[in-house]
């Protein structure tokens, strides 16, 4: 459930030659098991880190009888993936961040799911529209949603109360008040920062702050970068200012990197942080590692005071060149099916509860499964902190925005993240960094869209 971080693939690995070298595959009605020399079905980028993941894979194994499913666990590796596709020996199904789907689709590395959806009678209405759009390019679906991450506001209840405040005082919609709260909640020992007052979570969360300020990083059609928009510059200037107000990036990052993020001594359990926006999966981590933590939950608000939810997640796609095209279609349909998710959620809930922990729910990207999990599987635990967090998650997950899919994929994402890092390190001003990022991102988009 932990979000993966992906390594950069150079443009020289673009699959211009791949589409010419590989047999063109346009749907899921191709190679059958009887026609293949191999009985091993391989996946890439999928982790078997909890009962939810393992149970779903068990269901897929049952659906692909006669095939040995080999799960290559770990984070998705771009270099490994592109090299395998170029060599004509790709995995049969790949699990990746949906922000990358458009880039690989444009390079010809992924099979359009048009025929797969038709032949397997996959009801796209089951999926969250935002998540489905992330896995598409120019209206063609290339990946089915395999998760749906929302952003919550997590608050250290002890910290705010010790400073004479309440969790409701943490308001991301009022930038002046948030700056004051940040300085009030931070704590230092000499020149050493010992508590972060508020962590804006940049560079990763720049899209959220830009949207809160009324801007998008890219046009809705995914073809025009908007990184130099004055509102994006203002958002970056503000968030970097929050970090500078706490001693600067060096001291801030040093403390952040020291957090026992997945352990019992995490930053909330040890009062090392006041508040931060965070992906919802972290609530599940806290429930397991520190069930008695004094945690409060809020929603991220834009500058007009409206709830804002930036969503993201993973998707299952089929690489060009798979030797098990028909089975790959069956596999991704099974992994994302309502019944598969529900069975896995029941299994996970039982395992978590048997271990004495709070089951904090799951949101999958499959709307039908999400409703069943919310109403039939999740139950209030009596732990106010985690019950409130789960209730907030279910509420905000009903709507949200995502960065539009685009053909530059990794290059576009790297452009704005590297810009933020240059500002944090003091190399450039926000305006200089985003102007440079705009040129880089637009160039990447133009090259990727050439001839499309």
């Amino acid at each position: 459930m932990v979000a993966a971080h992906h390594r950069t693939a150079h443009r020289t690995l673009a699959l211009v030659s791949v589409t010419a070298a590989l047999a063109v595959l346009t749907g899921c009605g191709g190679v059958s098991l009887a026609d293949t020399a191999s009985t091993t079905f391989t996946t890439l980028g999928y982790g078997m880190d909890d009962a939810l993941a393992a149970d779903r894979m068990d269901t897929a194994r049952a659906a692909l009888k006669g095939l040995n499913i080999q799960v290559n666990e770990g984070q998705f590796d771009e270099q490994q993936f592109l090299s395998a596709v170029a060599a004509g020996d790709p995995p049969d199904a790949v699990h990746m961040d949906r922000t990358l789907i458009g880039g690989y689709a444009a390079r010809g590395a992924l099979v359009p799911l048009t025929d797969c959806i038709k032949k397997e009678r996959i009801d796209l209405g089951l999926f969250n529209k935002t998540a489905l759009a992330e896995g598409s390019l120019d209206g063609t679906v290339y990946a089915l949603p395999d998760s749906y991450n929302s952003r919550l506001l997590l608050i250290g209840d002890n910290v705010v109360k010790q400073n004479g405040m309440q969790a409701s005082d943490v308001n991301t919609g009022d930038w002046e008040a948030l700056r004051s709260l940040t300085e009030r909640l931070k704590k230092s020992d000499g020149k050493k920062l010992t508590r972060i007052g508020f962590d804006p979570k940049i560079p990763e969360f720049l899209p959220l702050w830009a949207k809160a300020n009324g801007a998008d990083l890219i046009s809705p059609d995914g073809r025009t970068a908007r990184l130099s928009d004055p509102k994006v510059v203002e958002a970056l200037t503000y968030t970097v200012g929050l970090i500078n107000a706490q001693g600067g990036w060096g001291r801030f990052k040093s403390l952040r990197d020291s957090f026992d993020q997945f352990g019992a001594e995490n930053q909330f359990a040890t009062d090392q942080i006041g508040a931060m926006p965070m992906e919802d999966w972290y609530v599940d981590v806290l429930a397991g590692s520190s069930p008695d933590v004094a945690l409060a939950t809020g929603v991220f608000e834009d500058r007009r005071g409206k709830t804002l939810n930036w969503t993201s997640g993973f998707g299952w796609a089929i690489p060009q060149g798979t030797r098990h095209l028909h089975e790959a279609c069956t596999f991704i349909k099974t992994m994302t099916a309502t019944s598969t998710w529900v069975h896995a959620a029941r299994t996970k809930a039982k395992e978590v509860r048997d271990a004495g922990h709070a089951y904090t729910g799951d949101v999958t990207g499959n709307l039908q499964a999400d409703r069943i999990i919310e109403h039939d599987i999740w139950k209030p635990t009596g732990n106010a902190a985690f019950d409130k967090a789960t209730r907030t998650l279910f509420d905000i997950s009903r709507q949200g925005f995502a960065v539009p899919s685009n053909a530059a994929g990794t290059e576009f994402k790297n452009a704005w993240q590297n810009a933020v890092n240059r500002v944090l390190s003091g190399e450039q001003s926000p305006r200089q960094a985003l102007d440079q990022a705009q040129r880089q991102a637009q160039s990447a988009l133009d090259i990727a869209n050439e001839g499309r």
Side-chain angles (χ1 to χ4, degrees), residues 148-152 278-280 309-312 393 396-397:
Y148 186 81
N149 297 327
S150 296
R151 270 69 179 178
L152 303 170
M278 188 63 180
E279 294 98 337
D280 60 70
N309 181 24
W310 174 32
T311 70
S312 61
L393 167 61
I396 68 169
S397 67

Side-chain angles (χ1 to χ4, degrees), residues 376-416:
D376 297 345
I377 301 177
W378 178 78
K379 304 295 181 184
T381 65
N383 183 316
F386 292 111
D387 287 348
K388 170 68 181 305
T390 302
R391 185 71 268 156
T392 302
L393 167 61
F394 285 140
D395 288 344
I396 68 169
S397 67
R398 304 186 205 288
Q399 60 182 357
F401 79 95
V403 177
S405 174
N406 65 86
T410 303
E411 290 88 346
F412 177 77
K413 188 174 183 178
N414 286 341
W416 61 261

Side-chain angles (χ1 to χ4, degrees), residues 208-340:
L208 181 62
W209 290 99
K211 190 74 168 181
N213 203 33
D216 292 294
L217 301 190
I218 192 169
S219 61
D221 64 4
R223 290 176 177 262
T224 305
R226 295 177 174 174
L227 301 179
S228 57
D229 185 317
K231 291 183 178 180
V232 179
V233 176
E234 184 181 19
L236 178 55
T237 301
Y238 174 75
T239 51
V240 171
L242 289 179
I243 291 173
N244 289 338
Q246 299 178 82
W249 180 236
R251 296 173 187 172
F252 186 95
K253 187 174 185 298
S254 178
L255 176 56
R256 182 201 270 177
D257 289 348
S258 74
F259 289 161
D260 181 28
Q261 189 173 12
F262 298 99
E265 299 298 309
N266 61 74
Q267 64 273 27
F268 287 98
T270 54
D271 295 342
Q272 291 178 291
I273 193 163
M276 65 189 293
M278 188 63 180
E279 294 98 337
D280 60 70
W281 55 260
Y282 195 56
V283 173
D284 191 50
V285 171
L286 293 176
S289 63
S290 51
D292 297 321
V293 66
L295 180 73
T297 310
V299 297
F300 194 98
E301 294 184 352
D302 66 16
R303 299 190 75 179
R304 298 172 299 172
K306 294 184 177 180
T307 298
L308 185 64
N309 181 24
W310 174 32
T311 70
S312 61
F314 294 88
W316 278 110
I318 303 174
Q320 287 280 11
T322 172
R323 290 170 294 184
H324 301 106
L325 188 55
H326 175 72
E327 289 78 10
C329 184
T330 299
F331 175 84
I332 66 172
K333 176 186 178 181
T334 302
M335 290 293 287
T336 59
T338 300
S339 59
T340 303

Side-chain angles (χ1 to χ4, degrees), residues 18-348:
V18 173
T19 52
L22 297 175
V24 177
L25 303 173
T26 58
C28 289
V31 186
S32 69
L33 178 59
D35 296 328
T36 64
S38 171
T39 58
T40 299
F41 183 98
T42 61
T43 72
L44 179 67
Y46 187 73
M48 304 275 280
D49 54 343
D50 68 359
L52 190 75
D55 189 86
R56 292 169 62 222
M57 189 58 69
D58 287 343
T59 302
R61 292 185 198 280
L64 268 62
K65 292 179 181 178
L67 277 180
N68 172 36
I69 299 182
Q70 179 180 312
V71 181
N72 296 314
E73 295 190 53
Q75 296 180 0
F76 173 77
D77 187 314
E78 286 197 85
Q79 297 282 10
Q80 178 185 354
F81 173 65
L82 288 176
S83 296
V85 174
D89 188 27
D92 295 297
V94 61
H95 188 254
M96 68 172 75
D97 186 330
R98 289 195 294 266
T99 62
L100 305 178
I101 297 294
Y104 291 127
R107 298 179 186 197
L110 301 177
V111 176
L113 298 184
T114 307
D115 286 354
C116 173
I117 292 165
K118 180 179 179 180
K119 293 180 179 181
E120 288 284 346
R121 298 181 180 179
I122 298 173
D123 181 4
L124 295 184
L126 288 173
F127 299 103
N128 180 284
K129 291 182 180 179
T130 302
L132 196 62
E134 271 193 294
S136 305
L137 183 66
D138 296 335
T140 298
V141 179
Y142 287 88
L144 295 184
D146 195 63
S147 62
Y148 186 81
N149 297 327
S150 296
R151 270 69 179 178
L152 303 170
L153 194 60
L154 302 183
I155 303 161
D157 207 34
N158 285 338
V159 174
V160 294
K161 288 180 177 177
Q162 288 167 5
N163 285 272
M165 307 176 77
Q166 300 295 322
S168 58
D169 292 321
V170 184
N171 178 9
T172 60
D174 186 335
W175 285 12
E176 283 191 25
L178 184 60
R179 171 67 179 258
S180 297
L181 177 141
T182 298
E183 295 194 22
R184 183 170 174 177
L185 297 185
K186 73 176 183 180
K187 191 174 182 180
S188 300
D189 183 3
K191 293 184 178 181
K192 182 180 180 181
L193 184 67
T194 58
R195 181 169 67 214
I196 292 174
F198 183 88
D199 184 354
K201 283 285 289 181
I202 57 171
E204 299 91 341
F205 281 25
L206 179 63
L208 181 62
W209 290 99
K211 190 74 168 181
N213 203 33
D216 292 294
L217 301 190
I218 192 169
S219 61
D221 64 4
R223 290 176 177 262
T224 305
R226 295 177 174 174
L227 301 179
S228 57
D229 185 317
K231 291 183 178 180
V232 179
V233 176
E234 184 181 19
L236 178 55
T237 301
Y238 174 75
T239 51
V240 171
L242 289 179
I243 291 173
N244 289 338
Q246 299 178 82
W249 180 236
R251 296 173 187 172
F252 186 95
K253 187 174 185 298
S254 178
L255 176 56
R256 182 201 270 177
D257 289 348
S258 74
F259 289 161
D260 181 28
Q261 189 173 12
F262 298 99
E265 299 298 309
N266 61 74
Q267 64 273 27
F268 287 98
T270 54
D271 295 342
Q272 291 178 291
I273 193 163
M276 65 189 293
M278 188 63 180
E279 294 98 337
D280 60 70
W281 55 260
Y282 195 56
V283 173
D284 191 50
V285 171
L286 293 176
S289 63
S290 51
D292 297 321
V293 66
L295 180 73
T297 310
V299 297
F300 194 98
E301 294 184 352
D302 66 16
R303 299 190 75 179
R304 298 172 299 172
K306 294 184 177 180
T307 298
L308 185 64
N309 181 24
W310 174 32
T311 70
S312 61
F314 294 88
W316 278 110
I318 303 174
Q320 287 280 11
T322 172
R323 290 170 294 184
H324 301 106
L325 188 55
H326 175 72
E327 289 78 10
C329 184
T330 299
F331 175 84
I332 66 172
K333 176 186 178 181
T334 302
M335 290 293 287
T336 59
T338 300
S339 59
T340 303
W341 276 117
V342 170
H343 188 277
R346 290 190 191 280
T347 301
K348 175 185 173 182

